[in-house]
Amino acid sequence: MRPRKRFGQHWLTDQQILDEIVAAANLQPTDRVLEIGPGKGALTSRLLPQVEALLSVEIDRDLCKYMVKNYGDRPNFLLLEADYLQADINEFLGDFPQFQNPRKVVANIPYNITGPILEKLLGTIDRPNSNPFESIVLLIQKEVGDRLVAHPCTKAFGALTLRVQYLADCETVCVVPPKAFYPKPKVESVVVRLRPRPLAQPAQNPKLLATLIKVGFASKRKMLRNNLKSLYKPEILDPIFADLDISPQARGEEVDLLQWIALSDRLNDYPKE
């Protein structure tokens, strides 16, 4: 069972890190959990004794055979052989009521599809997951993890930061060095925990907010005002920037989430160009 490059497989072998991931999930005996990409079951073996039901989704056919051989007799284990991004989990679980409606996610996911996986788990600004998870614990590339927890006026703060922080509270659990894996990846990794939640004051027009963020970061070297001029005239933008205490020279990464929402709400009263 060698890791396959085309699936972005790296086996996590550090026992302490595995324990930290499980601890971060704060599991309860009644929990139903979703695991994406179980690999050879390093996390699976730790999750099964602690939860009511565990659904693991694995794309690799050979690994699925391995997992069935080793865990198939556990009554609280269910394996779906599929690409998680394409799978309809609710439809699959129609015949398995014990595993329906998992509330927590624990996973070591392929780094090359982190963005799409996050979007499927959380939804988007204008289409949030209608049945959000209680918590999501992921092992991901550190560069991406840094962006999820970034603060304004830092290099890591960007469109991904805003899209995720609009939908969830994000925190770093621990940093994971390359030596914790086989084979060693070329980058550092990090365990992050996301807690999906609605904002106290969400955007009046979430679709507009999503558009503003996309356009506002279209060219990171440009000032935010100049990026948004493709949507609104300066005579509309300038007084709103002044009212919201946003510098006309500010770039997108210098504007925090609440200011972005306020900007969206104000611009919602004006037609786009």
Side-chain angles (χ1 to χ4, degrees), residues 29-214:
T30 56
D31 280 338
R32 299 180 181 186
V33 177
L34 168 65
E35 182 186 18
I36 305 166
K40 293 173 66 178
L43 271 174
T44 310
S45 63
R46 284 167 165 77
L47 296 171
L48 282 172
Q50 300 190 45
V51 301
E52 178 183 328
L54 175 64
L55 169 65
S56 295
V57 183
E58 175 58 62
I59 192 173
D60 188 317
R61 181 178 302 175
D62 292 332
L63 282 176
C64 285
K65 293 177 181 177
Y66 179 92
M67 292 294 289
V68 169
K69 179 180 178 181
N70 287 275
Y71 303 103
D73 61 345
R74 307 287 182 91
N76 63 337
F77 177 70
L78 181 64
L79 179 68
L80 169 59
E81 182 184 331
D83 178 350
Y84 172 71
L85 293 177
Q86 303 299 323
D88 187 330
I89 300 296
N90 292 331
E91 181 179 352
F92 172 72
L93 292 178
D95 296 329
F96 303 96
Q98 177 189 348
F99 296 87
Q100 291 174 2
N101 198 30
R103 307 309 312 132
K104 294 181 178 179
V105 180
V106 183
N108 171 12
I109 61 177
Y111 294 175
N112 60 333
I113 54 172
T114 299
I117 288 178
L118 283 170
E119 184 171 314
K120 184 166 183 179
L121 292 172
L122 294 171
T124 60
I125 287 177
D126 54 321
R127 287 190 176 182
N129 187 338
S130 59
N131 186 25
F133 295 98
E134 291 177 16
S135 72
I136 301 168
V137 177
L138 301 175
L139 175 56
I140 60 177
Q141 184 175 342
K142 186 176 183 297
E143 180 183 349
V144 179
D146 289 346
R147 291 164 65 190
L148 299 187
V149 302
H151 297 285
C153 301
T154 61
K155 185 178 180 181
F157 192 87
L160 177 63
T161 313
L162 291 163
R163 287 196 293 264
V164 172
Q165 291 185 8
Y166 184 87
L167 299 166
D169 294 324
C170 312
E171 61 182 316
T172 299
V173 175
C174 63
V175 176
V176 185
K179 67 180 182 180
F181 298 88
Y182 172 77
K184 294 179 183 179
K186 297 179 180 179
V187 296
E188 279 193 310
S189 305
V190 69
V191 179
V192 295
R193 178 167 52 204
L194 312 179
R195 298 184 187 276
R197 50 90 186 102
L199 286 171
Q201 292 184 315
Q204 296 173 10
N205 185 344
K207 187 173 182 179
L208 174 60
L209 175 60
T211 299
L212 292 178
I213 291 171
K214 181 179 180 180

Side-chain angles (χ1 to χ4, degrees), residues 230-248:
S230 63
L231 298 177
Y232 297 97
K233 295 179 180 179
E235 52 263 37
I236 294 175
L237 293 172
D238 291 347
I240 293 177
F241 270 49
D243 287 348
L244 297 178
D245 198 25
I246 299 174
S247 167

Side-chain angles (χ1 to χ4, degrees), residues 219-263:
S219 178
K220 287 199 70 174
R221 293 188 176 184
K222 281 188 178 182
M223 292 181 290
L224 175 60
R225 177 180 174 276
N226 289 342
N227 277 332
L228 294 184
K229 275 169 37 176
S230 63
L231 298 177
Y232 297 97
K233 295 179 180 179
E235 52 263 37
I236 294 175
L237 293 172
D238 291 347
I240 293 177
F241 270 49
D243 287 348
L244 297 178
D245 198 25
I246 299 174
S247 167
Q249 285 79 42
R251 290 179 168 78
E253 64 269 21
E254 298 174 275
V255 180
D256 66 31
L257 175 59
L258 294 182
Q259 287 178 306
W260 275 96
I261 294 172
L263 179 62

